[in-house]
Amino acid sequence: MPAPRVLIESRSRIGESPVWHPRENALYWVDVEGGTIHRWHADDGSVHTWDAGEPVGCIGLRRRGGLVGARRSGFFFLDTGSGRFRPIADPEADMPDNRLNDGKVDRRGRFWAGTRNFVDTAQASGALYRLDADLSVHRMETGLRCPNGMAWSPDDGRMYLCDTWARRICVYDFDPERGTISNRRLFRELPDEEGFPDGLTVDAEGCIWNAHYDGWRITRYAPDGTIEKVVRMPVRNVTSVTFGRKQAGSLFATTSWLRLAGHEQREQLSAGHVFEVDIGVTGIAEPAFAG
């Protein structure tokens, strides 16, 4: 397998939520603590940035154009043409220590995002929410420390979810018609030396690709949870992954430098950049929000 290479010198504090837009031939991602959303065009290498004005956890494509996303003040739409942000709803306005974190769109066009406690990471006060096309918000799970990295199996029968600070990847039975989850169980628990499970995606063969925060790696897990492949990364904090480009086998990875000590930042000059890895496996296109 070819070594990971820097694709975009973004130097994000916490790069996250990479999403490939096939029609635009472009990659979107966010800088959580920078409060910005970025778009890189593969055709000319240009980068456009939108300022969300506050920490932004995740984004997804929208069928009507632009993006759907989640930031500190709640769910929002971004008109990428005008740059206008439109607030939708804040599911935890009564919980000032919590804010929305990672999320993704399912194949029926619903947007899922989780919340986490940013004051005390030991508190399991986070929850998982589903934003429907009619803009109604539904709480789907509670008792989470840091929900991250959600994705669905190719047959839509499973939903995967990381609880990062608990070092666990969980799996649920998923009902695609109703958009419900049930029968939560452990998929994989990471030992300390492998870091924390962060963003993930699923390939066309049903295997799970997980980014390891504080782990220097990306791991491919078989559907039964066994390790199938490990991609060693040149930076400690790998935050999320997604498939992209027109050709098969291209995996993008976002990274972070925020919690690195000064000497670590000097040693990991590419921390915060976006990487690309040629993995030789076909991905599944990310769907768009229906609302």
Side-chain angles (χ1 to χ4, degrees), residues 81-103:
S82 67
R84 177 176 175 265
F85 286 83
R86 174 189 161 193
I88 300 172
D90 184 355
E92 294 186 354
D94 59 336
M95 301 176 68
D97 291 347
N98 275 21
R99 75 179 191 223
L100 285 158
N101 193 47
D102 199 13

Side-chain angles (χ1 to χ4, degrees), residues 128-167:
L128 179 65
Y129 293 90
R130 191 191 75 213
L131 176 69
D132 289 354
D134 62 2
L135 305 189
S136 61
V137 179
H138 309 269
R139 183 179 295 169
M140 306 304 296
E141 181 65 292
T142 58
L144 301 168
R145 289 178 60 185
C146 184
N148 251 326
M150 55 206 70
W152 292 264
S153 60
D155 65 1
D156 254 354
R158 286 179 161 196
M159 179 177 176
Y160 299 94
L161 177 70
C162 294
D163 195 350
T164 296
W165 300 136
R167 297 187 188 270

Side-chain angles (χ1 to χ4, degrees), residues 10-18 29-34 36 38 56-57 198-199 213 237-241 253-258 271-274:
S10 57
R11 198 60 177 166
S12 298
R13 298 183 196 178
I14 303 180
E16 257 289 2
S17 193
W29 78 98
V30 308
D31 182 349
V32 178
E33 293 300 322
T36 50
H38 307 275
V56 54
D198 207 327
Y213 188 88
N237 298 328
V238 191
T239 55
S240 193
V241 288
T254 50
T255 64
S256 168
W257 62 262
L258 186 63
H273 292 348
V274 178

